[in-house]
Amino acid sequence: MSSTTTKTAVYTHGHAAPVLRSHTWRTAANSASYLLSSLKPDMKILDIGCGPGTITVDLATYIPDGHITGLEYASDVLENARAHAVERNVKNIDFITGDAHALPFPNDTFDVTHAHQLLQHIDDPVQALREMRRVTKPGGIVATRETDFSAMTWYPESEGMTEWRELYKRVARGNGGEPDAGRRLHAWARQAGLDPARMTCTAGTWCFHTAEDRAWWGGLWADRTLESNFAPSAMKGGFATVDDLQRVSHAWRDWAADEDAWFAVLNGEILCRV
């Protein structure tokens, strides 16, 4: 096992109700499609930063003769993950707490190590990728997907939402993260010792434009701005006042109410053969 000193991960959002609304929407199909064609029925997978486990549970169904372990730094959210596995009657799965910087597994344990929207929130993503490489078997896969906040785009133009994005980036970096992680994945992987010649880089998107999409996406970000860990982080760091946060939240609701509104999220993706 790794002897690396455990580092502190500061998750900008936390796991408040509006955050979990977003996380529980995620599935293997809408958040890990770049990986699915590489899976085999008997694989052993580690899903790092699994949160409420919706992607983890979905991935388990692709490996009926294998096993998946979901690892999460925040132990409380794993109750949701275990309940979701039971609800889906998925049994080739377990969940544990742990730190991505120092994974509690021997070398060469897994066929696939996977992380979704994790590296942007931790203080040493290169170390996490080193750990992912260490616990992956030779010939196995390190796979990760990360949003790039600067590449998010929307219509119509909104000063309030532009203010939100710049505020979000300041708060995330103040917490030690990198909100533009998507464009850096291949570079971080190379620094972690993964071979660029055995690396596939792709990009995936989420797009929100229907009335239902707009209400859900705009509403959850309006709520996350005021009700998640983001708000105290923004105020404690001196990045925003209560009035600033309320203005940004209203901007999200105004955007969602516009029948012409459209929003796209760019995600960087890498598949690395060990």
Side-chain angles (χ1 to χ4, degrees):
M1 296 188 185
S2 172
S3 60
T4 304
T5 301
T6 300
K7 296 175 180 288
T8 301
V10 179
Y11 184 36
T12 295
H13 304 292
H15 291 100
V19 180
L20 292 180
R21 291 211 312 269
S22 171
H23 290 184
T24 54
W25 167 82
R26 298 171 184 173
T27 65
N30 68 29
S31 299
S33 60
Y34 72 107
L35 171 62
L36 299 183
S37 64
S38 299
L39 300 183
K40 297 178 181 179
D42 60 349
M43 279 182 159
K44 187 175 182 180
I45 299 177
L46 174 64
D47 187 26
I48 305 170
C50 65
T54 52
I55 297 176
T56 323
V57 171
D58 257 2
L59 288 174
T61 67
Y62 287 82
I63 52 164
D65 302 319
H67 188 273
I68 189 165
T69 295
L71 180 141
E72 173 58 47
Y73 190 78
S75 59
D76 53 342
V77 77
L78 290 183
E79 293 182 16
N80 302 65
R82 294 185 180 105
H84 184 62
V86 171
E87 180 183 357
R88 290 279 303 274
N89 196 31
V90 170
K91 298 179 180 178
N92 58 332
I93 193 167
D94 70 310
F95 295 97
I96 66 168
T97 56
D99 182 0
H101 298 100
L103 296 172
F105 304 103
N107 297 351
D108 308 336
T109 299
F110 298 95
D111 298 295
V112 176
T113 54
H114 167 263
H116 182 266
Q117 312 298 357
L118 165 76
L119 300 181
Q120 64 186 277
H121 297 296
I122 62 178
D123 61 358
D124 195 342
V126 173
Q127 173 59 22
L129 284 163
R130 287 193 194 102
E131 281 291 276
M132 292 173 75
R133 176 172 65 92
R134 180 184 65 78
V135 302
T136 303
K137 299 174 184 177
I141 296 170
V142 171
T144 186
R145 186 176 196 254
E146 296 287 335
T147 298
D148 194 296
F149 273 77
S150 289
M152 289 182 178
T153 189
W154 56 82
Y155 180 85
E157 294 298 319
S158 164
E159 290 184 8
M161 288 176 63
T162 299
E163 181 182 2
W164 159 78
R165 180 169 60 186
E166 294 309 305
L167 174 60
Y168 180 87
K169 291 193 293 184
R170 290 195 297 272
V171 172
R173 287 175 177 142
N175 282 336
E178 177 43 70
D180 292 342
R183 69 186 65 187
R184 292 169 163 82
L185 287 181
H186 67 295
W188 287 344
R190 181 186 58 77
Q191 293 167 36
L194 290 155
D195 184 356
R198 307 188 72 193
M199 189 184 306
T200 301
C201 300
T202 54
T205 59
W206 291 323
C207 186
F208 305 98
H209 68 93
T210 68
E212 183 181 7
D213 285 346
R214 298 194 316 268
W216 179 77
W217 185 244
L220 73 85
W221 274 107
D223 291 343
R224 284 168 79 158
T225 298
L226 297 176
E227 299 172 19
S228 75
N229 284 1
F230 177 79
S233 291
M235 291 186 288
K236 183 178 179 179
F239 302 115
T241 64
V242 171
D243 287 344
D244 294 331
L245 293 170
Q246 290 177 338
R247 181 171 62 252
V248 165
S249 179
H250 286 313
W252 270 107
R253 296 198 186 280
D254 290 343
W255 171 85
D258 190 324
E259 65 179 355
D260 292 327
W262 177 94
F263 197 105
V265 179
L266 181 71
N267 295 282
E269 304 161 342
I270 55 169
L271 285 176
C272 307
R273 286 284 177 183
V274 173

